[in-house]
Amino acid sequence: MSKYEQIFEKNRQWVEDKKAENPDFFEHLSKGQDPDFLYIGCSDSRVTAEEIMGLAPGDVFVHRNIANVISNTDLNTMSVIEFAVGHLDVKHIIICGHYYCGGVKAAMQSKDLGLLNPWLRNIRDVYRLHKEELAAIADEHTRYERLIELNVEEQCINVIKTAVVQRTFLNKGYPTVHGWVFDVRSGRLIDLDLNFEEKLHDIQSIYNLGTTAD
Ligand code: CO
């Protein structure tokens, strides 16, 4: 059986397993979704959102793109955030980068990558913002890992810049934005422990789209 054909066989088995555990599993799913989490991560095939978090269908709203970039002109990502926060009422937004990210690696190289150029420029912008810190790291792999972390941090800030996140947090006290890195080599999720409220406050001095800033 080809890898392609195996997918349908595995799906059939999965349906049976789920029904054996809970006969109403799919009936329940069909009633709607009420996830607590919005996860925005890289499209990399090794970083499977639900599996690494141990979450089940219905638990997490997922958006993935190359190098987990939040661009304010990207209608796709902006719609995901608007819908997840404004309609699904998620409590947490997670931006998850990962070590060994090919997108970040590509952005570190001086190479014309065609259509990928404007997308990767978002990461080059992160590099420029943190040029001094990165230039001080002599080891290239350490610099690469640090850029992956800084990219997560800057993308979290881009999420916090959105009106729906600012407004909802000020009105309801959530969602909180978290920055994580998945270590492909160990399988571990690392919380970068970003201070969300401090970042929100900093952002609001320039990007205030909610209220209550001073
Ligand atoms: Co990646």
Side-chain angles (χ1 to χ4, degrees), residues 2 23 38 60 94 99 122 126:
S2 71
L38 164 59
V60 56
I94 295 143
Y99 294 138
N122 292 294
V126 174

Side-chain angles (χ1 to χ4, degrees), residues 42 44 98 101-102:
C42 184
D44 192 301
H98 67 101
C101 182

